[in-house]
Amino acid sequence: MEEIKTVNLSSTTFDLFAGLESTDHEQILFCQDNATGLKAIIAIHNTVLGPGLGGTRMWSYAHEKDAIKDVLRLSRGMTYKASVAGLNLGGAKAVIIGDHKTQKSEALMRKFGRFVENLNGKYITAEDVGTTTRDMEYVAMETENVVGLPEIMGGGGDPSPVTAYGTYMGIKASAKKAYGNDSLSGKSVAVMGIGKVGWHLLEYLHKEGAKLYVADLNQDILQQATKEFGAIVVSSEDMITLDVDIFAPCALGGILNDHTIPQLKCQIIAGAANNQLEDETIHGNQIKDMGIVYAPDFVINSGGLINVYSEHNGYVREIAMSQTEKIYDTILQINHMAEDLGLNNQLAAIKHAEKRIHDMRLVHSTY
Ligand code: NAD
């Protein structure tokens, strides 16, 4: 069996070209501008399937190498997400180094837009952590290669409701795998993180009659979830140990690690958070060995990407939703594939993504 390439960018020493080689990146663009204070990195991972699409994150990285590692890791994830979702898109991502609360300006975002424009469509940007649809409006003044625009500008608006729908589909498919049918009526579901995605997910789960547990740092949202959906509030720490059917992480990455996994009592892990497994191989295998059905994060949360992709072709919400519904079948397919290959679900999903890229390379090489 062909070996699956996982990468480890966590070492303290960091050699740029070795990093690019290990992650198999095509191109990195360092963007610097004294006048606006812009310092950004655009990483284009793979454009075999189409132009690289991925959001722009603005973050105060402690060290430059942290920004490089982040953009390499995130852009690679976008390649897999687009491939498994069946989109004609490659993977890319950008980071702007700086404090999004104090260092962002119209000029900085527009200058960044100029750099995106210079890539001639090889990279399409969107909003991400630390950037907003307003920022993308500035970027759009300098380039057409931007999505995630407000509805009034022909965009799809906030992708979170679509991401939540895809997550709901992924949870149902995982239930089908674990219990033989996909009904969530009477099933207990613990949702960690009641933000833009988590809230919409609760709506779907409540409508189907699931028993809900919620955790968040925001007390107001927890109270609202209790009032609207009869959800039971627990702390994030207690949520890990809850004896529930389904655990849906919808907050931060790295939630599945050496500390949390041994405490889990759920049968299914299926949530929207990115990069849930601290280590895709070690922790993915641990979860598999415990008999827990895991929905790979980049598959189950691909509704947001599907939504912005639809925007590029003239946005129609119904088309984005019906495309997102296919996450159900993809999750089932990956479960079967994992069983056949003896892999954990995350690695099976990577294999699935790589196969499509490999096959399409026969049609054309890069964008
Ligand atoms: P968000 O910022 O709106 O919500 C995150 C919520 O998690 C917040 O309410 C926050 O208070 C809560 N939170 C943070 N730390 C927590 C903790 N330790 N315990 C409990 N709750 C905690 O984000 P979102 O847009 O809803 O996205 C949620 C996750 O899904 C993120 O990992 C994001 O990367 C991923 N995702 C989102 C989309 C999308 O369309 N929004 C698409 C793909 C992936």
Side-chain angles (χ1 to χ4, degrees), residues 73-74 76-78 80-82 84-85 163 166-167 170 174 197 248-256 269-280 284 287 293-305 327 330-331 334 344-350:
R73 183 177 60 86
L74 293 166
R76 174 177 172 267
M78 292 308 296
Y80 292 146
K81 192 179 288 203
V84 172
T163 304
T167 306
S174 302
V197 178
C250 295
L252 305 176
I255 188 70
L256 303 172
I269 302 171
N274 273 315
N275 306 312
Q276 292 171 34
L277 294 160
E278 205 170 81
D279 185 296
E280 288 170 332
I287 285 168
V293 176
Y294 173 68
D297 44 16
F298 66 88
V299 182
I300 191 169
N301 72 16
S302 59
L305 179 64
I327 289 174
T330 309
I331 291 284
I334 285 164
N344 75 52
N345 280 5
Q346 185 82 0
L347 296 187
I350 292 176

Side-chain angles (χ1 to χ4, degrees), residues 206-219:
H206 177 65
K207 208 165 160 195
E208 203 176 325
K211 181 174 183 190
L212 300 170
Y213 293 85
V214 287
D216 202 292
L217 309 175
N218 177 346
Q219 294 306 314

